[in-house]
């Protein structure tokens, strides 16, 4: 059973994330979407709210599991018997951070590989941060997130 962890903030989940989830779920027997409790990052949605949106938008994937974690990602991946960490790459600006994280995680546990998928070209510019910013100014986010997430973002800024 090949298990991969897809970790992130998912604040909120976007079409870019869903593109990676759909493709990742085809590559592995089980894909665990893991929402990080990140004390350093100020979030728009609580972890529970984020899990809820992920649950509702990934119902069609039978081999996808949803969870939250705190502490080191590599420890969490270990506890799930994962062979890989899955991450999406959009641009060169993502690369620095991702490369650093992949090398560090590899140092901590060389048995767990980081697997990168290039984001679908239609999602190159989609980022949760942009969704939050657009949402806060009443901008149109309908092409960036599923309708359910769209409504939750709108509600937050009402
Ligand atoms: O969606 P994000 O914010 O880019 O996700 C970053 C995340 C949550 C994957 C990363 O910050 C993480 O792995 N945090 C857990 C703590 C950890 O393991 N840090 C060391 C990474 S080398």
């Amino acid at each position: 059973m090949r298990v991969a962890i897809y970790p992130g903030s998912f604040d909120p989940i976007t079409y870019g994330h869903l593109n990676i989830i759909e493709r990742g779920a085809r590559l592995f027997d089980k894909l665990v979407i893991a929402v990080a409790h990140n004390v350093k990052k100020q979030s728009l949605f609580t972890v529970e709210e984020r899990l809820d949106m992920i649950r509702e938008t990934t119902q069609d994937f039978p081999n996808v599991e949803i969870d939250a974690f705190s502490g080191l990602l590599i420890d969490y991946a270990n506890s799930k018997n994962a062979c890989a960490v899955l991450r999406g790459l959009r641009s060169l600006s993502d690369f620095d951070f991702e490369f650093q994280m992949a090398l560090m995680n590899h140092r901590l546990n060389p048995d767990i590989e980081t697997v990168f998928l290039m984001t679908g070209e239609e999602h190159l510019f989609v980022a949760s941060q942009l969704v939050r910013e657009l949402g806060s100014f009443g901008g149109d986010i309908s092409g960036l997130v599923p309708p359910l997430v769209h409504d939750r973002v709108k509600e937050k800024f009402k």
Side-chain angles (χ1 to χ4, degrees):
M1 174 100 157
R2 301 190 80 75
V3 180
I5 310 293
Y6 180 37
S9 305
F10 303 101
D11 187 34
I13 188 164
T14 66
Y15 278 135
H17 293 129
L18 285 165
N19 175 266
I20 300 293
I21 292 166
E22 185 180 351
R23 291 155 61 206
R26 274 191 246 126
L27 287 177
F28 297 96
D29 298 315
K30 186 162 90 177
L31 183 66
V32 182
I33 307 173
V35 178
H37 279 279
N38 195 339
V39 279
K40 275 190 275 170
K41 253 189 181 176
Q42 216 198 333
S43 59
L44 175 62
F45 291 98
T46 66
V47 169
E48 276 315 313
E49 288 171 328
R50 285 180 257 163
L51 288 170
D52 198 48
M53 285 184 275
I54 297 171
R55 207 170 287 121
E56 294 192 49
T57 50
T58 59
Q59 278 168 352
D60 293 341
F61 305 111
N63 61 336
V64 164
E65 195 181 292
I66 295 129
D67 198 9
F69 76 101
S70 43
L72 283 181
L73 166 64
I74 211 71
D75 291 340
Y76 175 75
N78 229 349
S79 75
K80 287 281 174 182
N81 283 321
C83 63
V85 167
L86 179 70
R87 292 284 288 172
L89 270 184
R90 281 168 309 204
S91 60
L92 217 57
S93 57
D94 281 347
F95 186 78
D96 234 19
F97 173 63
E98 295 299 334
F99 191 47
Q100 215 178 10
M101 209 161 61
L103 286 180
M104 186 55 77
N105 283 332
H106 188 260
R107 191 164 177 265
L108 295 171
N109 187 341
D111 293 332
I112 299 177
E113 294 290 349
T114 301
V115 173
F116 292 104
L117 288 180
M118 295 302 299
T119 208
E121 58 183 325
E122 64 278 33
H123 306 298
L124 266 180
F125 60 92
V126 182
S128 298
Q129 196 223 321
L130 281 182
V131 169
R132 295 195 298 272
E133 192 163 323
L134 272 177
S136 74
F137 292 118
D140 181 15
I141 56 164
S142 51
L144 312 179
V145 294
L148 173 138
V149 178
H150 172 278
D151 293 350
R152 304 264 164 100
V153 173
K154 291 279 161 200
E155 241 165 66
K156 275 278 173 195
F157 291 109
K158 219 163 48 186

